[in-house]
Amino acid sequence: AQSVAQPEDQVNVAEGNPLTVKCTYSVSGNPYLFWYVQYPNRGLQFLLKYITGDNLVKGSYGFEAEFNKSQTSFHLKKPSALVSDSALYFCAVRDNGADKIIFGKGTRLHILP
Amino acid sequence: EPEVTQTPSHQVTQMGQEVILRCVPISNHLYFYWYRQILGQKVEFLVSFYNNEISEKSEIFDDQFSVERPDGSNFTLKIRSTKLEDSAMYFCASTVAGGLSYEQYFGPGTRLTVT
């Protein structure tokens, strides 16, 4: 069965520093990977996806993610964090042959001024 | 930019009552979904809907749950007899097509509190 793991419940980063939010996946076929962000009292917003092609995927708000097949990872990154990036981040995988998205448990990102 | 909308934002109901959660998906989208997030837990898939039929449902989506697209714009989730454990944030989502590469767009959610 498809699954994603987010090993960190919380990540703290100083404003202006680079940030990384970790995600590893387990899939039986080709991975279809996504990152979503949830701001307080808001829904899940799509950030970026990896389907095929370049291992470095660029998304919204300056975020990017690096797909690493050998390490089965899809870490979310940003070169310079903003306080407004503080939110809950979910890694997700599309279930092969099915409709549903399977989410990780989420990582809370705190950007410290 | 088009958005998925959901009403109400917060619903409080008593155990055993019926509730209907409403969603308006993005207008050109054809696939519709409901997910839920119990406080502090993962977002979980409930059901997917396409061409006026359920295409997939999870174990959570038992006989107490039903979905409907009563007109060309709304997509509803009904819980016939709510239980305390139904308290959660319910998210509606839609996507333009059913292929694996298509991201799902989520609404802001309805917080359901069952007392």
Side-chain angles (χ1 to χ4, degrees):
Chain A
Q2 327 285 58
S3 65
V4 290
Q6 294 180 245
E8 303 151 319
D9 290 334
Q10 183 167 308
V11 171
N12 296 322
V13 177
E15 187 176 25
N17 282 1
L19 70 86
T20 299
V21 182
K22 295 179 181 176
C23 172
T24 57
Y25 65 89
S26 174
V27 301
S28 55
N30 293 324
Y32 295 84
L33 299 160
F34 303 83
W35 275 101
Y36 283 84
V37 59
Q38 186 178 27
Y39 297 103
N41 302 315
R42 301 283 297 276
L44 296 158
Q45 294 182 34
F46 168 74
L47 274 181
L48 50 79
K49 64 183 177 184
Y50 173 82
I51 305 302
T52 186
D54 288 343
N55 290 341
L56 188 64
V57 179
K58 294 191 183 298
S60 306
Y61 312 121
F63 282 92
E64 55 193 27
E66 187 171 9
F67 172 70
N68 187 316
K69 188 173 183 178
S70 62
Q71 296 184 5
T72 61
S73 66
F74 189 55
H75 300 332
L76 182 70
K77 300 182 179 189
K78 187 172 182 181
S80 178
L82 301 172
V83 172
S84 57
D85 293 329
S86 298
L88 188 56
Y89 290 80
F90 291 95
C91 184
V93 62
R94 188 78 185 267
D95 199 1
N96 204 3
D99 292 339
K100 64 186 176 186
I101 288 179
I102 297 169
F103 287 89
K105 65 180 173 64
T107 298
R108 190 163 296 281
L109 179 63
H110 283 288
I111 307 302
L112 309 168
Chain B
E1 186 177 333
E3 291 182 335
V4 177
T5 60
Q6 290 185 243
T7 54
S9 57
H10 191 189
Q11 173 92 46
V12 181
T13 189
Q14 289 189 328
M15 195 167 51
Q17 296 296 305
E18 174 184 288
V19 294
I20 297 176
L21 309 183
R22 290 183 167 78
C23 168
V24 179
I26 294 173
S27 63
N28 64 333
H29 284 189
L30 300 176
Y31 292 76
F32 314 112
Y33 310 84
W34 284 101
Y35 291 79
R36 79 171 185 192
Q37 184 182 31
I38 294 173
L39 188 62
Q41 297 186 25
K42 286 186 184 184
V43 178
E44 302 172 291
F45 169 79
L46 291 178
V47 66
S48 59
F49 190 86
Y50 168 69
N51 200 24
N52 282 321
E53 287 185 344
I54 290 175
S55 43
E56 187 182 346
K57 60 183 181 179
S58 72
E59 292 174 354
I60 303 167
F61 194 87
D62 62 21
D63 292 345
Q64 292 300 312
F65 291 86
S66 63
V67 289
E68 192 178 28
R69 188 155 163 85
D71 53 42
S73 59
N74 289 284
F75 179 51
T76 62
L77 174 69
K78 182 194 289 186
I79 309 175
R80 287 191 184 82
S81 178
T82 50
K83 307 190 228 8
L84 293 176
E85 54 264 37
D86 294 327
S87 295
M89 182 73 91
Y90 288 80
F91 293 106
C92 174
S94 68
T95 188
V96 65
L100 292 173
S101 63
Y102 291 94
E103 60 272 21
Q104 296 176 11
Y105 290 87
F106 286 77
T110 292
R111 181 168 298 284
L112 176 66
T113 302
V114 182
T115 61

